[in-house]
Structures are given as C-alpha cells and as structure tokens.
Amino acid sequence: MNRISYTLTLFAIVLILSGCTKEDAPIVLNEDYLQVADALQYCQGSCTETLLWEGNEILLKGHIPNIEDDSVMQDYYAGSRFYLSDIRNGMFLEVRVEGEKDAVFEILYTVSKQDMVFIRGTAESLIVNEGNECLKGLIIELVLSEDIKINL
Amino acid sequence: MIKKNICLLLFVLFTMPAFAQQEKYINVDIGLLQVHQDFFKLYDGVFDLGANYNRLLFSSFYAGVDFHLGYIHRKNTTGRTSIYKPGIIFNYHILVTQKFAVIPQARLGYAFLSLSNNEFNYREMQSGWNPGAEIRLLWKRDRPIEFYGFGRFDYIYLTKDEAFTKLNSYRHVYLTSFGLGIQIKSGKK
C-alpha cells in the first residue's frame, strides 16, 4: 500500500514538474517562415522594457481571413492593412502596409482563402492594456510588394 | 520514433494481463472536456468519451488498458481537433464506506491529435506522450453494474516538429474532464 502511494505521488510530482518546464528557447525571426501562432506567442512582453524582437525583420506565413469578401477587402485597402491568421488555432495578427500599397493589394486580390501567404516584414510592438497590466503585442509592417509571396 | 513508442505501448498492453488474477471490470464514461492555455486556448472542449478494461493485480491494486477520445473545436468555425488517447492505467480502490470507494488512477499513454479545418482543406496529425491522473468516486452496489463520477487530468507532450511549432510552450497540452460513468464487474477476488 505504502509503495503504491509513493509511486502515485512520485508520478504526480513528475507530471507537474514536466508541465512547468515550458520556457521558449530564443528563435531566429528571419530564418524560416514562422507560423502566426508562434510569432504571437514569442513576440510579446512587458511595456516597461524594450524587447529583443522589436524592430527586427520577421518572416511569417498564414492565411488571410475573409479574402473572398469584397467589402472586407475594401476595408482592408482603405485602412492600409490586412490580417494574417493561423487556421490551426484561430490566432491572427495585423499587417500594416506602409509602402507599396497598390502593388501589395494587387497581389492580395489574386489570393484565394486556401492559399498560404508568406510575408517578410518588420516586427513592431503594439501596446495592449489588460486590466492594470500594460503589455506589448505584435503587429507587422510590410513595405515592399516583393516581400509578399503566395504558396511558396 | 512514433512507431517505437507505439510498439513499446502495445508490448506492455499485451503482456500485462498475463500477470493479472481473476477479478476484472470494464468502465465506460463520458465527461465534459476542457482545454487549457497555450496552443489550443481559443478552442472549446466538447467531450471526453471512452472505456477501459481493468484486472486485479494484487490486494486492491488494478491495472488495465484504456482508450479515450477527446473532441475540441472552435465555435462558429470549422476548426476541429480529435484527441485519441490509448494508454495503460493503474488504480487503487480505497473503500471509504460500504457504499463508496475512492479510486485514484495513474495512466501512461501516447496521444494522437488530429487537427483539421475543412474550410481551408487543412488536416494534420501530431502526437506525443500522454501521462495523466484521475480520481473516481464509485457508488458500490451488490450488482454487476456500479456508477461513478470522475475528474481527469491529461497532459500531452507533443513530439518535436518544427513545421508545427518552433516553441516549446506549444508542445504542452493540458486537458481536464469531469463526468459520469458505469463500471461493469465480472469474476471474483
């Protein structure tokens, strides 16, 4: 009986400890195209510090939600932005088009919803207030139309 | 790697009954599933359904094989994930009164997560080791069928796949479920 209790207790401790070791090792943002969910999880932090990823080049891949809805695309164009989503778990982030807007949207109008879109942009921070806590989240700045590719 | 893990698990599953004595029982249960934080944080749990087969090893200590299916989804989307959880289980029956027993249980399995999103023709499989723990409150009766309520915790550590995620934190999956089940007994101690 005692041996069984010890075994079960030990098992529970191992289980809990294994769940606690979940720090993310540093990743290179502009080496491989990152999934949107990875980028959102990795690129966040406190407002009180300058984070390593801020202002760095980043490669991202994802799908564009509502790409086949004309009114949504008009809104995207008017706001000089679009969204990139991770269809695996629903997370998404904003991409701001800062440069060749017309050329970028020319490309976007050829995209269908099942196409994977690959972009090279700059990781910028966005201030997000959660209750009393001030956090930084991620948005992407896209300048050149050549930095957006479809189905690589 | 996955094949090796499955072979190891199957070996344990098939050799374990050889050490068992006579008394045996089957559990069938269903519970409400919840998924916690990290990669699946936008998902809602739906159900955790499954069964296990147990044999008395010695005293009040049982071992058995278990299979559960968990199902989670994202509301108003076609994003779905089914979680197949085969495993081996060890449990100990503690008689609290003549009518009730508490049964703590440990399990070790290998889980398969089938992610899909039909709207985008997306489908993929991820897998990983799946230790877990459970506690059951069994209502004992002098009949072959008894009833129980359970609380279950599953932890899944996904096998490294950089195409799926480069982050260690996304390889951890935490599931809990609470529900009801029936226990069907046969054989004698």
Side-chain angles (χ1 to χ4, degrees), chain A residues 110-150:
Chain A
T110 67
V111 174
S112 73
K113 70 177 178 183
Q114 291 173 353
D115 290 334
M116 181 76 92
V117 177
F118 298 79
I119 63 170
R120 176 192 301 270
T122 307
E124 297 293 348
S125 60
L126 176 75
I127 303 294
V128 183
N129 287 309
E130 270 192 15
N132 293 328
E133 201 176 4
C134 179
L135 299 171
K136 283 181 181 173
L138 172 70
I139 58 165
I140 305 298
E141 276 186 13
L142 175 67
V143 178
L144 303 173
S145 60
E146 67 189 38
D147 287 339
I148 183 164
K149 305 265 189 301
I150 315 299

Side-chain angles (χ1 to χ4, degrees), chain A residues 45-108:
Chain A
S46 167
C47 291
T48 57
E49 53 189 325
T50 303
L51 302 162
L52 288 175
W53 51 267
E54 286 182 81
N56 284 356
E57 184 181 72
I58 186 170
L59 300 179
L60 272 176
K61 61 181 176 182
H63 290 73
I64 300 179
N66 304 311
I67 188 87
E68 289 170 351
D69 184 329
D70 288 341
S71 64
V72 171
M73 285 305 288
Q74 282 169 17
D75 285 346
Y76 286 167
Y77 182 82
S80 299
R81 67 171 193 276
F82 61 93
Y83 295 90
L84 208 56
S85 79
D86 194 320
I87 58 168
R88 305 170 307 161
N89 66 359
M91 293 180 183
F92 62 90
L93 54 72
E94 183 179 331
V95 180
R96 290 188 182 162
V97 184
E98 300 287 350
E100 300 170 354
K101 180 177 165 182
D102 287 340
V104 166
F105 276 87
E106 285 279 309
I107 296 169
L108 291 184

